[in-house]
Amino acid sequence: MRDGRTRKLAGTVKASDFHEFTAHNVASLVVIAGQDVGLELALARERVLVGRGPGVDYAFADPAMSRQHAAIEYARQGFRVQDLGSTNGILVNGKRVKASDLRRGDRVQVGASTLQLVIEEREPAAEVFELSST
């Protein structure tokens, strides 16, 4: 539209970029503090929502979390976290943010839980050879 107030949003990440990333890497969020310590949340989709639910991909029984607290999405060869208007906000590596790019090892606090981004390279598939019996 040309009303002077409408902005064009930045293009979204192509699904093929995400599939290329996941073909070579495994990404997850691991709960390192809070009542669900040790829980691993796979980042197997381009966008996942965390909160108390309903309507989230990963629901926590945490009264300090909003129903839909934060979104973690794949963006530009990595991940980005965004506060979804939560009451208590989010912190990345101890700093309050509305949105932030994430790197391997970053810590995201949502409610009373702290999640750490883990990205590991997939092991290459083993080569299989067929031997003929002659």
Side-chain angles (χ1 to χ4, degrees):
M1 298 177 77
R2 295 181 183 237
D3 62 7
R5 290 177 289 204
T6 305
R7 296 181 323 184
K8 183 176 182 182
L9 297 175
T12 58
V13 174
K14 296 178 196 170
S16 61
D17 292 342
F18 178 72
H19 294 302
E20 179 69 21
F21 177 84
T22 57
H24 300 287
N25 300 282
V26 176
S28 62
L29 291 168
V30 177
V31 180
I32 60 169
Q35 66 185 31
D36 295 308
V37 169
L39 182 65
E40 186 172 356
L41 314 172
L43 296 176
R45 296 187 338 192
E46 293 175 58
R47 179 178 164 112
V48 296
L49 302 178
V50 297
R52 281 182 301 144
V56 295
D57 300 296
Y58 295 112
F60 290 80
D62 180 351
M65 274 192 208
S66 294
R67 287 187 181 132
Q68 292 188 353
H69 199 104
I72 295 91
E73 52 195 352
Y74 179 78
R76 298 183 306 271
Q77 300 299 318
F79 289 90
R80 182 169 181 76
V81 64
Q82 179 178 359
D83 186 346
L84 297 176
S86 67
T87 302
N88 294 321
I90 59 174
L91 285 81
V92 174
N93 297 325
K95 294 182 181 178
R96 184 170 301 278
V97 298
K98 290 284 185 190
S100 178
D101 289 333
L102 297 175
R103 294 188 214 174
R104 177 181 286 145
D106 280 351
R107 295 174 180 211
V108 180
Q109 184 175 340
V110 287
S113 298
T114 302
L115 316 172
Q116 185 168 26
L117 178 63
V118 175
I119 300 174
E120 298 174 336
E121 289 184 34
R122 288 189 189 272
E123 299 218 8
E127 290 187 48
V128 177
F129 299 96
E130 188 173 320
L131 300 174
S132 61
S133 56
T134 55

